[in-house]
Amino acid sequence: MMKFLLSVITLLLSSTVTIADNNERDKYDREVDRVAFASKISGTTWLYSWRDREYTFAFEPNGDISKLESWSKVKWYTNQKDEVVLEAPNNKMYLYFDTKVRNFKTVDWDGQDATGKIIFKDDK
């Protein structure tokens, strides 16, 4: 009985270590994906479609948004792979990108659906 109990405890401990290792590895992989995604969209210019109008904006490498005056105080960052957060002084908007990073969907600051498509990639 004692050998059985020791075997069970050993198995549980090794399982816990494996789960912790897997969780750390998953966390690391998600961070690598997030940083790679940020690098991929940095320096890109997009056409933003909202309320039957189109606007041009760009993701600057320093986290600024350029080319769209009304978003001059908006900052961007990646929250996870395929997701960008646009952060204005009092609000946030989330952009959800397709797997090829050619289009995104969002709900605009005012609650209306909006979309975007890439029009330029600066391949420096």
Side-chain angles (χ1 to χ4, degrees), residues 22-71:
N22 286 340
N23 287 341
E24 286 299 313
R25 190 175 13 255
D26 288 345
K27 184 178 174 183
Y28 174 79
D29 289 344
R30 284 191 305 273
E31 181 65 10
V32 168
D33 288 345
R34 184 194 68 75
V35 171
F37 178 64
S39 178
K40 190 170 195 168
I41 66 166
S42 180
T44 57
T45 301
W46 295 77
L47 193 61
Y48 183 76
S49 300
W50 169 73
R51 290 188 173 189
D52 298 322
R53 292 183 171 162
E54 293 183 329
Y55 305 87
T56 301
F57 78 95
F59 293 108
E60 295 298 324
N62 66 355
D64 289 343
I65 296 290
S66 66
K67 301 184 184 196
L68 183 54
E69 186 62 33
S70 62
W71 287 4

mmCIF file of all heavy atoms in Angstrom, residues 22-71:
data_model
loop_
_atom_site.group_PDB
_atom_site.id
_atom_site.type_symbol
_atom_site.label_atom_id
_atom_site.label_comp_id
_atom_site.label_asym_id
_atom_site.label_seq_id
_atom_site.Cartn_x
_atom_site.Cartn_y
_atom_site.Cartn_z
ATOM 1 N N ASN A 22 4.093 23.294 -19.361
ATOM 2 C CA ASN A 22 3.249 23.542 -20.534
ATOM 3 C C ASN A 22 2.609 24.924 -20.480
ATOM 4 O O ASN A 22 2.532 25.612 -21.500
ATOM 5 C CB ASN A 22 2.170 22.462 -20.666
ATOM 6 C CG ASN A 22 2.737 21.146 -21.150
ATOM 7 O OD1 ASN A 22 3.818 21.096 -21.727
ATOM 8 N ND2 ASN A 22 2.007 20.071 -20.908
ATOM 9 N N ASN A 23 2.157 25.342 -19.300
ATOM 10 C CA ASN A 23 1.570 26.672 -19.160
ATOM 11 C C ASN A 23 2.594 27.760 -19.445
ATOM 12 O O ASN A 23 2.289 28.746 -20.115
ATOM 13 C CB ASN A 23 0.978 26.856 -17.758
ATOM 14 C CG ASN A 23 -0.295 26.071 -17.564
ATOM 15 O OD1 ASN A 23 -0.950 25.672 -18.525
ATOM 16 N ND2 ASN A 23 -0.656 25.825 -16.318
ATOM 17 N N GLU A 24 3.799 27.594 -18.944
ATOM 18 C CA GLU A 24 4.866 28.569 -19.215
ATOM 19 C C GLU A 24 5.212 28.600 -20.707
ATOM 20 O O GLU A 24 5.413 29.663 -21.277
ATOM 21 C CB GLU A 24 6.115 28.255 -18.386
ATOM 22 C CG GLU A 24 5.976 28.608 -16.931
ATOM 23 C CD GLU A 24 5.715 30.087 -16.711
ATOM 24 O OE1 GLU A 24 6.420 30.928 -17.307
ATOM 25 O OE2 GLU A 24 4.792 30.404 -15.939
ATOM 26 N N ARG A 25 5.282 27.440 -21.311
ATOM 27 C CA ARG A 25 5.576 27.357 -22.740
ATOM 28 C C ARG A 25 4.471 28.019 -23.563
ATOM 29 O O ARG A 25 4.733 28.765 -24.489
ATOM 30 C CB ARG A 25 5.769 25.902 -23.157
ATOM 31 C CG ARG A 25 6.300 25.739 -24.556
ATOM 32 C CD ARG A 25 6.621 24.316 -24.975
ATOM 33 N NE ARG A 25 6.114 23.254 -24.112
ATOM 34 C CZ ARG A 25 6.868 22.546 -23.275
ATOM 35 N NH1 ARG A 25 8.155 22.791 -23.158
ATOM 36 N NH2 ARG A 25 6.333 21.584 -22.540
ATOM 37 N N ASP A 26 3.200 27.775 -23.190
ATOM 38 C CA ASP A 26 2.075 28.407 -23.888
ATOM 39 C C ASP A 26 2.120 29.919 -23.742
ATOM 40 O O ASP A 26 1.888 30.657 -24.696
ATOM 41 C CB ASP A 26 0.741 27.878 -23.357
ATOM 42 C CG ASP A 26 0.465 26.443 -23.779
ATOM 43 O OD1 ASP A 26 1.144 25.935 -24.702
ATOM 44 O OD2 ASP A 26 -0.443 25.830 -23.182
ATOM 45 N N LYS A 27 2.422 30.383 -22.534
ATOM 46 C CA LYS A 27 2.528 31.821 -22.281
ATOM 47 C C LYS A 27 3.648 32.433 -23.135
ATOM 48 O O LYS A 27 3.473 33.484 -23.750
ATOM 49 C CB LYS A 27 2.798 32.058 -20.791
ATOM 50 C CG LYS A 27 2.838 33.492 -20.385
ATOM 51 C CD LYS A 27 3.069 33.606 -18.881
ATOM 52 C CE LYS A 27 3.249 35.042 -18.460
ATOM 53 N NZ LYS A 27 3.533 35.146 -17.031
ATOM 54 N N TYR A 28 4.775 31.765 -23.186
ATOM 55 C CA TYR A 28 5.902 32.227 -23.998
ATOM 56 C C TYR A 28 5.529 32.249 -25.480
ATOM 57 O O TYR A 28 5.793 33.229 -26.175
ATOM 58 C CB TYR A 28 7.112 31.321 -23.768
ATOM 59 C CG TYR A 28 8.282 31.636 -24.658
ATOM 60 C CD1 TYR A 28 9.121 32.709 -24.370
ATOM 61 C CD2 TYR A 28 8.544 30.872 -25.796
ATOM 62 C CE1 TYR A 28 10.197 33.010 -25.189
ATOM 63 C CE2 TYR A 28 9.614 31.171 -26.618
ATOM 64 C CZ TYR A 28 10.432 32.237 -26.311
ATOM 65 O OH TYR A 28 11.487 32.547 -27.136
ATOM 66 N N ASP A 29 4.889 31.180 -25.967
ATOM 67 C CA ASP A 29 4.486 31.106 -27.378
ATOM 68 C C ASP A 29 3.508 32.219 -27.732
ATOM 69 O O ASP A 29 3.609 32.831 -28.800
ATOM 70 C CB ASP A 29 3.865 29.746 -27.703
ATOM 71 C CG ASP A 29 4.875 28.621 -27.706
ATOM 72 O OD1 ASP A 29 6.103 28.898 -27.753
ATOM 73 O OD2 ASP A 29 4.437 27.444 -27.661
ATOM 74 N N ARG A 30 2.553 32.512 -26.841
ATOM 75 C CA ARG A 30 1.593 33.601 -27.092
ATOM 76 C C ARG A 30 2.303 34.951 -27.163
ATOM 77 O O ARG A 30 1.975 35.792 -27.996
ATOM 78 C CB ARG A 30 0.509 33.613 -26.015
ATOM 79 C CG ARG A 30 -0.527 32.523 -26.194
ATOM 80 C CD ARG A 30 -1.738 32.730 -25.279
ATOM 81 N NE ARG A 30 -1.404 32.857 -23.878
ATOM 82 C CZ ARG A 30 -1.257 31.840 -23.028
ATOM 83 N NH1 ARG A 30 -1.417 30.608 -23.452
ATOM 84 N NH2 ARG A 30 -0.960 32.049 -21.769
ATOM 85 N N GLU A 31 3.288 35.149 -26.303
ATOM 86 C CA GLU A 31 4.033 36.412 -26.319
ATOM 87 C C GLU A 31 4.855 36.550 -27.597
ATOM 88 O O GLU A 31 4.909 37.620 -28.195
ATOM 89 C CB GLU A 31 4.923 36.515 -25.075
ATOM 90 C CG GLU A 31 5.711 37.797 -24.988
ATOM 91 C CD GLU A 31 4.861 39.045 -24.820
ATOM 92 O OE1 GLU A 31 3.642 38.949 -24.584
ATOM 93 O OE2 GLU A 31 5.434 40.149 -24.952
ATOM 94 N N VAL A 32 5.487 35.471 -28.022
ATOM 95 C CA VAL A 32 6.250 35.493 -29.277
ATOM 96 C C VAL A 32 5.317 35.806 -30.444
ATOM 97 O O VAL A 32 5.635 36.638 -31.302
ATOM 98 C CB VAL A 32 6.987 34.148 -29.495
ATOM 99 C CG1 VAL A 32 7.522 34.043 -30.910
ATOM 100 C CG2 VAL A 32 8.116 33.995 -28.478
ATOM 101 N N ASP A 33 4.158 35.179 -30.492
ATOM 102 C CA ASP A 33 3.178 35.441 -31.555
ATOM 103 C C ASP A 33 2.717 36.892 -31.529
ATOM 104 O O ASP A 33 2.574 37.526 -32.578
ATOM 105 C CB ASP A 33 1.962 34.521 -31.414
ATOM 106 C CG ASP A 33 2.255 33.080 -31.767
ATOM 107 O OD1 ASP A 33 3.303 32.806 -32.400
ATOM 108 O OD2 ASP A 33 1.430 32.207 -31.404
ATOM 109 N N ARG A 34 2.478 37.438 -30.339
ATOM 110 C CA ARG A 34 2.028 38.820 -30.214
ATOM 111 C C ARG A 34 3.080 39.799 -30.737
ATOM 112 O O ARG A 34 2.780 40.708 -31.503
ATOM 113 C CB ARG A 34 1.706 39.139 -28.744
ATOM 114 C CG ARG A 34 1.136 40.546 -28.542
ATOM 115 C CD ARG A 34 1.148 40.945 -27.083
ATOM 116 N NE ARG A 34 2.491 41.132 -26.556
ATOM 117 C CZ ARG A 34 3.264 42.187 -26.805
ATOM 118 N NH1 ARG A 34 2.861 43.157 -27.596
ATOM 119 N NH2 ARG A 34 4.467 42.276 -26.270
ATOM 120 N N VAL A 35 4.325 39.583 -30.354
ATOM 121 C CA VAL A 35 5.414 40.466 -30.793
ATOM 122 C C VAL A 35 5.633 40.340 -32.307
ATOM 123 O O VAL A 35 5.831 41.338 -32.991
ATOM 124 C CB VAL A 35 6.710 40.166 -30.002
ATOM 125 C CG1 VAL A 35 7.900 40.895 -30.587
ATOM 126 C CG2 VAL A 35 6.524 40.534 -28.531
ATOM 127 N N ALA A 36 5.571 39.137 -32.829
ATOM 128 C CA ALA A 36 5.720 38.931 -34.281
ATOM 129 C C ALA A 36 4.596 39.628 -35.038
ATOM 130 O O ALA A 36 4.828 40.240 -36.084
ATOM 131 C CB ALA A 36 5.746 37.440 -34.605
ATOM 132 N N PHE A 37 3.391 39.562 -34.508
ATOM 133 C CA PHE A 37 2.254 40.233 -35.132
ATOM 134 C C PHE A 37 2.439 41.750 -35.119
ATOM 135 O O PHE A 37 2.200 42.426 -36.119
ATOM 136 C CB PHE A 37 0.955 39.829 -34.434
ATOM 137 C CG PHE A 37 -0.258 40.506 -34.980
ATOM 138 C CD1 PHE A 37 -0.669 40.280 -36.285
ATOM 139 C CD2 PHE A 37 -0.997 41.366 -34.200
ATOM 140 C CE1 PHE A 37 -1.789 40.909 -36.799
ATOM 141 C CE2 PHE A 37 -2.122 41.991 -34.692
ATOM 142 C CZ PHE A 37 -2.526 41.766 -35.998
ATOM 143 N N ALA A 38 2.906 42.293 -34.001
ATOM 144 C CA ALA A 38 3.160 43.735 -33.909
ATOM 145 C C ALA A 38 4.187 44.162 -34.944
ATOM 146 O O ALA A 38 4.033 45.184 -35.616
ATOM 147 C CB ALA A 38 3.633 44.105 -32.506
ATOM 148 N N SER A 39 5.219 43.368 -35.108
ATOM 149 C CA SER A 39 6.244 43.661 -36.102
ATOM 150 C C SER A 39 5.667 43.618 -37.517
ATOM 151 O O SER A 39 6.031 44.425 -38.369
ATOM 152 C CB SER A 39 7.390 42.651 -35.972
ATOM 153 O OG SER A 39 8.358 42.883 -36.950
ATOM 154 N N LYS A 40 4.762 42.700 -37.741
ATOM 155 C CA LYS A 40 4.160 42.533 -39.071
ATOM 156 C C LYS A 40 3.300 43.730 -39.475
ATOM 157 O O LYS A 40 3.289 44.119 -40.637
ATOM 158 C CB LYS A 40 3.331 41.253 -39.097
ATOM 159 C CG LYS A 40 2.868 40.844 -40.452
ATOM 160 C CD LYS A 40 2.278 39.453 -40.416
ATOM 161 C CE LYS A 40 2.162 38.916 -41.814
ATOM 162 N NZ LYS A 40 1.858 37.493 -41.834
ATOM 163 N N ILE A 41 2.583 44.329 -38.529
ATOM 164 C CA ILE A 41 1.711 45.444 -38.905
ATOM 165 C C ILE A 41 2.376 46.811 -38.738
ATOM 166 O O ILE A 41 1.889 47.798 -39.280
ATOM 167 C CB ILE A 41 0.373 45.413 -38.150
ATOM 168 C CG1 ILE A 41 0.564 45.643 -36.672
ATOM 169 C CG2 ILE A 41 -0.392 44.143 -38.452
ATOM 170 C CD1 ILE A 41 -0.721 45.947 -35.958
ATOM 171 N N SER A 42 3.479 46.864 -38.034
ATOM 172 C CA SER A 42 4.192 48.129 -37.873
ATOM 173 C C SER A 42 4.662 48.628 -39.236
ATOM 174 O O SER A 42 5.254 47.893 -40.010
ATOM 175 C CB SER A 42 5.397 47.908 -36.956
ATOM 176 O OG SER A 42 6.109 49.106 -36.790
ATOM 177 N N GLY A 43 4.354 49.892 -39.533
ATOM 178 C CA GLY A 43 4.740 50.467 -40.821
ATOM 179 C C GLY A 43 3.738 50.212 -41.935
ATOM 180 O O GLY A 43 4.014 50.524 -43.085
ATOM 181 N N THR A 44 2.571 49.668 -41.603
ATOM 182 C CA THR A 44 1.560 49.417 -42.631
ATOM 183 C C THR A 44 0.545 50.555 -42.671
ATOM 184 O O THR A 44 0.299 51.232 -41.677
ATOM 185 C CB THR A 44 0.816 48.084 -42.391
ATOM 186 O OG1 THR A 44 0.219 48.100 -41.098
ATOM 187 C CG2 THR A 44 1.753 46.903 -42.501
ATOM 188 N N THR A 45 -0.048 50.744 -43.844
ATOM 189 C CA THR A 45 -1.091 51.741 -44.045
ATOM 190 C C THR A 45 -2.367 51.008 -44.432
ATOM 191 O O THR A 45 -2.336 50.053 -45.214
ATOM 192 C CB THR A 45 -0.687 52.746 -45.140
ATOM 193 O OG1 THR A 45 0.541 53.380 -44.747
ATOM 194 C CG2 THR A 45 -1.750 53.808 -45.350
ATOM 195 N N TRP A 46 -3.487 51.492 -43.898
ATOM 196 C CA TRP A 46 -4.763 50.807 -44.023
ATOM 197 C C TRP A 46 -5.862 51.736 -44.505
ATOM 198 O O TRP A 46 -5.824 52.937 -44.248
ATOM 199 C CB TRP A 46 -5.170 50.226 -42.672
ATOM 200 C CG TRP A 46 -4.232 49.158 -42.226
ATOM 201 C CD1 TRP A 46 -2.983 49.343 -41.691
ATOM 202 C CD2 TRP A 46 -4.419 47.766 -42.339
ATOM 203 N NE1 TRP A 46 -2.397 48.130 -41.451
ATOM 204 C CE2 TRP A 46 -3.269 47.137 -41.828
ATOM 205 C CE3 TRP A 46 -5.461 46.965 -42.797
ATOM 206 C CZ2 TRP A 46 -3.130 45.756 -41.787
ATOM 207 C CZ3 TRP A 46 -5.330 45.590 -42.744
ATOM 208 C CH2 TRP A 46 -4.170 45.000 -42.244
ATOM 209 N N LEU A 47 -6.837 51.162 -45.185
ATOM 210 C CA LEU A 47 -8.048 51.865 -45.575
ATOM 211 C C LEU A 47 -9.140 51.431 -44.607
ATOM 212 O O LEU A 47 -9.471 50.237 -44.534
ATOM 213 C CB LEU A 47 -8.423 51.514 -47.015
ATOM 214 C CG LEU A 47 -9.473 52.390 -47.671
ATOM 215 C CD1 LEU A 47 -8.973 53.837 -47.744
ATOM 216 C CD2 LEU A 47 -9.772 51.873 -49.064
ATOM 217 N N TYR A 48 -9.664 52.366 -43.857
ATOM 218 C CA TYR A 48 -10.671 52.107 -42.825
ATOM 219 C C TYR A 48 -12.033 52.490 -43.378
ATOM 220 O O TYR A 48 -12.252 53.634 -43.781
ATOM 221 C CB TYR A 48 -10.324 52.951 -41.592
ATOM 222 C CG TYR A 48 -11.213 52.747 -40.400
ATOM 223 C CD1 TYR A 48 -11.078 51.620 -39.604
ATOM 224 C CD2 TYR A 48 -12.182 53.683 -40.060
ATOM 225 C CE1 TYR A 48 -11.876 51.425 -38.494
ATOM 226 C CE2 TYR A 48 -12.985 53.505 -38.951
ATOM 227 C CZ TYR A 48 -12.839 52.375 -38.174
ATOM 228 O OH TYR A 48 -13.626 52.193 -37.070
ATOM 229 N N SER A 49 -12.961 51.544 -43.422
ATOM 230 C CA SER A 49 -14.309 51.784 -43.956
ATOM 231 C C SER A 49 -15.318 51.826 -42.812
ATOM 232 O O SER A 49 -15.460 50.849 -42.064
ATOM 233 C CB SER A 49 -14.693 50.671 -44.935
ATOM 234 O OG SER A 49 -13.779 50.633 -45.999
ATOM 235 N N TRP A 50 -16.009 52.963 -42.729
ATOM 236 C CA TRP A 50 -16.963 53.185 -41.639
ATOM 237 C C TRP A 50 -18.044 54.128 -42.134
ATOM 238 O O TRP A 50 -17.735 55.169 -42.725
ATOM 239 C CB TRP A 50 -16.209 53.772 -40.449
ATOM 240 C CG TRP A 50 -17.027 54.312 -39.329
ATOM 241 C CD1 TRP A 50 -17.734 53.605 -38.405
ATOM 242 C CD2 TRP A 50 -17.207 55.680 -39.003
ATOM 243 N NE1 TRP A 50 -18.335 54.446 -37.516
ATOM 244 C CE2 TRP A 50 -18.022 55.741 -37.864
ATOM 245 C CE3 TRP A 50 -16.760 56.873 -39.556
ATOM 246 C CZ2 TRP A 50 -18.414 56.938 -37.268
ATOM 247 C CZ3 TRP A 50 -17.133 58.057 -38.971
ATOM 248 C CH2 TRP A 50 -17.944 58.082 -37.834
ATOM 249 N N ARG A 51 -19.304 53.738 -41.951
ATOM 250 C CA ARG A 51 -20.455 54.564 -42.359
ATOM 251 C C ARG A 51 -20.360 55.001 -43.821
ATOM 252 O O ARG A 51 -20.532 56.180 -44.146
ATOM 253 C CB ARG A 51 -20.605 55.769 -41.458
ATOM 254 C CG ARG A 51 -21.049 55.436 -40.073
ATOM 255 C CD ARG A 51 -21.367 56.694 -39.302
ATOM 256 N NE ARG A 51 -21.957 56.364 -38.024
ATOM 257 C CZ ARG A 51 -22.487 57.253 -37.229
ATOM 258 N NH1 ARG A 51 -22.480 58.531 -37.558
ATOM 259 N NH2 ARG A 51 -23.008 56.880 -36.079
ATOM 260 N N ASP A 52 -20.055 54.072 -44.687
ATOM 261 C CA ASP A 52 -19.961 54.313 -46.132
ATOM 262 C C ASP A 52 -18.907 55.354 -46.521
ATOM 263 O O ASP A 52 -19.008 55.990 -47.569
ATOM 264 C CB ASP A 52 -21.326 54.715 -46.710
ATOM 265 C CG ASP A 52 -22.352 53.613 -46.547
ATOM 266 O OD1 ASP A 52 -21.984 52.430 -46.687
ATOM 267 O OD2 ASP A 52 -23.529 53.931 -46.270
ATOM 268 N N ARG A 53 -17.905 55.536 -45.663
ATOM 269 C CA ARG A 53 -16.773 56.412 -45.961
ATOM 270 C C ARG A 53 -15.500 55.625 -45.778
ATOM 271 O O ARG A 53 -15.459 54.617 -45.079
ATOM 272 C CB ARG A 53 -16.747 57.623 -45.029
ATOM 273 C CG ARG A 53 -17.862 58.588 -45.242
ATOM 274 C CD ARG A 53 -17.644 59.738 -44.296
ATOM 275 N NE ARG A 53 -18.550 60.823 -44.561
ATOM 276 C CZ ARG A 53 -18.819 61.774 -43.709
ATOM 277 N NH1 ARG A 53 -18.230 61.784 -42.521
ATOM 278 N NH2 ARG A 53 -19.631 62.741 -44.015
ATOM 279 N N GLU A 54 -14.426 56.135 -46.377
ATOM 280 C CA GLU A 54 -13.127 55.480 -46.231
ATOM 281 C C GLU A 54 -12.099 56.491 -45.733
ATOM 282 O O GLU A 54 -12.086 57.645 -46.171
ATOM 283 C CB GLU A 54 -12.687 54.869 -47.559
ATOM 284 C CG GLU A 54 -13.581 53.710 -47.966
ATOM 285 C CD GLU A 54 -13.138 53.035 -49.253
ATOM 286 O OE1 GLU A 54 -12.569 53.719 -50.130
ATOM 287 O OE2 GLU A 54 -13.373 51.822 -49.356
ATOM 288 N N TYR A 55 -11.250 56.025 -44.828
ATOM 289 C CA TYR A 55 -10.215 56.848 -44.211
ATOM 290 C C TYR A 55 -8.897 56.080 -44.256
ATOM 291 O O TYR A 55 -8.878 54.868 -44.109
ATOM 292 C CB TYR A 55 -10.565 57.148 -42.750
ATOM 293 C CG TYR A 55 -11.925 57.786 -42.573
ATOM 294 C CD1 TYR A 55 -13.061 56.998 -42.439
ATOM 295 C CD2 TYR A 55 -12.071 59.163 -42.558
ATOM 296 C CE1 TYR A 55 -14.315 57.576 -42.280
ATOM 297 C CE2 TYR A 55 -13.320 59.753 -42.394
ATOM 298 C CZ TYR A 55 -14.436 58.948 -42.263
ATOM 299 O OH TYR A 55 -15.678 59.522 -42.108
ATOM 300 N N THR A 56 -7.809 56.798 -44.419
ATOM 301 C CA THR A 56 -6.491 56.178 -44.442
ATOM 302 C C THR A 56 -5.779 56.454 -43.118
ATOM 303 O O THR A 56 -5.795 57.578 -42.617
ATOM 304 C CB THR A 56 -5.649 56.758 -45.604
ATOM 305 O OG1 THR A 56 -6.338 56.515 -46.827
ATOM 306 C CG2 THR A 56 -4.281 56.120 -45.669
ATOM 307 N N PHE A 57 -5.175 55.405 -42.571
ATOM 308 C CA PHE A 57 -4.372 55.572 -41.362
ATOM 309 C C PHE A 57 -3.203 54.592 -41.421
ATOM 310 O O PHE A 57 -3.206 53.642 -42.196
ATOM 311 C CB PHE A 57 -5.195 55.373 -40.077
ATOM 312 C CG PHE A 57 -5.474 53.940 -39.733
ATOM 313 C CD1 PHE A 57 -4.647 53.251 -38.857
ATOM 314 C CD2 PHE A 57 -6.556 53.278 -40.286
ATOM 315 C CE1 PHE A 57 -4.901 51.921 -38.539
ATOM 316 C CE2 PHE A 57 -6.825 51.945 -39.968
ATOM 317 C CZ PHE A 57 -5.998 51.269 -39.098
ATOM 318 N N ALA A 58 -2.198 54.835 -40.590
ATOM 319 C CA ALA A 58 -1.010 53.970 -40.558
ATOM 320 C C ALA A 58 -0.627 53.646 -39.118
ATOM 321 O O ALA A 58 -0.820 54.456 -38.210
ATOM 322 C CB ALA A 58 0.167 54.650 -41.258
ATOM 323 N N PHE A 59 -0.094 52.435 -38.955
ATOM 324 C CA PHE A 59 0.465 52.005 -37.673
ATOM 325 C C PHE A 59 1.946 52.387 -37.664
ATOM 326 O O PHE A 59 2.749 51.785 -38.374
ATOM 327 C CB PHE A 59 0.355 50.485 -37.500
ATOM 328 C CG PHE A 59 -1.038 49.963 -37.365
ATOM 329 C CD1 PHE A 59 -1.626 49.250 -38.390
ATOM 330 C CD2 PHE A 59 -1.754 50.163 -36.195
ATOM 331 C CE1 PHE A 59 -2.906 48.739 -38.261
ATOM 332 C CE2 PHE A 59 -3.037 49.663 -36.058
ATOM 333 C CZ PHE A 59 -3.616 48.949 -37.094
ATOM 334 N N GLU A 60 2.311 53.372 -36.883
ATOM 335 C CA GLU A 60 3.707 53.788 -36.791
ATOM 336 C C GLU A 60 4.468 52.863 -35.840
ATOM 337 O O GLU A 60 3.893 52.367 -34.858
ATOM 338 C CB GLU A 60 3.804 55.237 -36.307
ATOM 339 C CG GLU A 60 3.218 56.247 -37.287
ATOM 340 C CD GLU A 60 3.945 56.259 -38.622
ATOM 341 O OE1 GLU A 60 5.180 56.081 -38.643
ATOM 342 O OE2 GLU A 60 3.263 56.448 -39.655
ATOM 343 N N PRO A 61 5.753 52.634 -36.098
ATOM 344 C CA PRO A 61 6.543 51.742 -35.230
ATOM 345 C C PRO A 61 6.589 52.155 -33.761
ATOM 346 O O PRO A 61 6.744 51.310 -32.886
ATOM 347 C CB PRO A 61 7.940 51.790 -35.861
ATOM 348 C CG PRO A 61 7.695 52.139 -37.287
ATOM 349 C CD PRO A 61 6.503 53.070 -37.270
ATOM 350 N N ASN A 62 6.421 53.439 -33.469
ATOM 351 C CA ASN A 62 6.492 53.915 -32.084
ATOM 352 C C ASN A 62 5.164 53.801 -31.331
ATOM 353 O O ASN A 62 5.052 54.254 -30.201
ATOM 354 C CB ASN A 62 6.995 55.357 -32.044
ATOM 355 C CG ASN A 62 6.023 56.332 -32.671
ATOM 356 O OD1 ASN A 62 4.986 55.943 -33.224
ATOM 357 N ND2 ASN A 62 6.351 57.606 -32.615
ATOM 358 N N GLY A 63 4.138 53.216 -31.971
ATOM 359 C CA GLY A 63 2.847 53.056 -31.313
ATOM 360 C C GLY A 63 1.851 54.154 -31.617
ATOM 361 O O GLY A 63 0.721 54.123 -31.123
ATOM 362 N N ASP A 64 2.231 55.128 -32.440
ATOM 363 C CA ASP A 64 1.308 56.188 -32.840
ATOM 364 C C ASP A 64 0.484 55.739 -34.051
ATOM 365 O O ASP A 64 0.867 54.835 -34.787
ATOM 366 C CB ASP A 64 2.071 57.458 -33.238
ATOM 367 C CG ASP A 64 2.700 58.167 -32.052
ATOM 368 O OD1 ASP A 64 2.298 57.894 -30.901
ATOM 369 O OD2 ASP A 64 3.608 58.989 -32.283
ATOM 370 N N ILE A 65 -0.615 56.439 -34.253
ATOM 371 C CA ILE A 65 -1.419 56.312 -35.475
ATOM 372 C C ILE A 65 -1.172 57.588 -36.265
ATOM 373 O O ILE A 65 -1.236 58.685 -35.710
ATOM 374 C CB ILE A 65 -2.923 56.171 -35.149
ATOM 375 C CG1 ILE A 65 -3.201 54.883 -34.386
ATOM 376 C CG2 ILE A 65 -3.769 56.261 -36.414
ATOM 377 C CD1 ILE A 65 -3.038 53.608 -35.190
ATOM 378 N N SER A 66 -0.885 57.438 -37.550
ATOM 379 C CA SER A 66 -0.660 58.622 -38.383
ATOM 380 C C SER A 66 -1.629 58.622 -39.564
ATOM 381 O O SER A 66 -2.330 57.653 -39.806
ATOM 382 C CB SER A 66 0.789 58.658 -38.880
ATOM 383 O OG SER A 66 1.037 57.577 -39.753
ATOM 384 N N LYS A 67 -1.637 59.729 -40.291
ATOM 385 C CA LYS A 67 -2.388 59.958 -41.526
ATOM 386 C C LYS A 67 -3.868 60.240 -41.316
ATOM 387 O O LYS A 67 -4.534 60.669 -42.234
ATOM 388 C CB LYS A 67 -2.218 58.813 -42.528
ATOM 389 C CG LYS A 67 -0.783 58.585 -42.926
ATOM 390 C CD LYS A 67 -0.648 57.519 -43.979
ATOM 391 C CE LYS A 67 0.840 57.310 -44.236
ATOM 392 N NZ LYS A 67 1.120 56.617 -45.437
ATOM 393 N N LEU A 68 -4.395 59.992 -40.147
ATOM 394 C CA LEU A 68 -5.806 60.268 -39.872
ATOM 395 C C LEU A 68 -5.860 61.250 -38.707
ATOM 396 O O LEU A 68 -5.667 60.886 -37.541
ATOM 397 C CB LEU A 68 -6.555 58.972 -39.542
ATOM 398 C CG LEU A 68 -8.060 59.067 -39.298
ATOM 399 C CD1 LEU A 68 -8.779 59.746 -40.469
ATOM 400 C CD2 LEU A 68 -8.642 57.682 -39.063
ATOM 401 N N GLU A 69 -6.091 62.513 -39.031
ATOM 402 C CA GLU A 69 -6.011 63.597 -38.053
ATOM 403 C C GLU A 69 -6.898 63.359 -36.830
ATOM 404 O O GLU A 69 -6.489 63.624 -35.701
ATOM 405 C CB GLU A 69 -6.380 64.934 -38.709
ATOM 406 C CG GLU A 69 -6.186 66.137 -37.821
ATOM 407 C CD GLU A 69 -4.739 66.354 -37.380
ATOM 408 O OE1 GLU A 69 -3.816 66.042 -38.135
ATOM 409 O OE2 GLU A 69 -4.552 66.846 -36.254
ATOM 410 N N SER A 70 -8.092 62.821 -37.036
ATOM 411 C CA SER A 70 -8.999 62.618 -35.902
ATOM 412 C C SER A 70 -8.492 61.541 -34.934
ATOM 413 O O SER A 70 -8.987 61.429 -33.818
ATOM 414 C CB SER A 70 -10.401 62.267 -36.389
ATOM 415 O OG SER A 70 -10.394 61.063 -37.123
ATOM 416 N N TRP A 71 -7.501 60.744 -35.349
ATOM 417 C CA TRP A 71 -6.910 59.729 -34.479
ATOM 418 C C TRP A 71 -5.500 60.128 -34.040
ATOM 419 O O TRP A 71 -4.712 59.290 -33.625
ATOM 420 C CB TRP A 71 -6.856 58.381 -35.185
ATOM 421 C CG TRP A 71 -8.176 57.701 -35.340
ATOM 422 C CD1 TRP A 71 -9.409 58.169 -34.995
ATOM 423 C CD2 TRP A 71 -8.383 56.403 -35.881
ATOM 424 N NE1 TRP A 71 -10.372 57.255 -35.306
ATOM 425 C CE2 TRP A 71 -9.771 56.152 -35.849
ATOM 426 C CE3 TRP A 71 -7.545 55.433 -36.405
ATOM 427 C CZ2 TRP A 71 -10.334 54.973 -36.313
ATOM 428 C CZ3 TRP A 71 -8.103 54.253 -36.873
ATOM 429 C CH2 TRP A 71 -9.486 54.029 -36.816
#
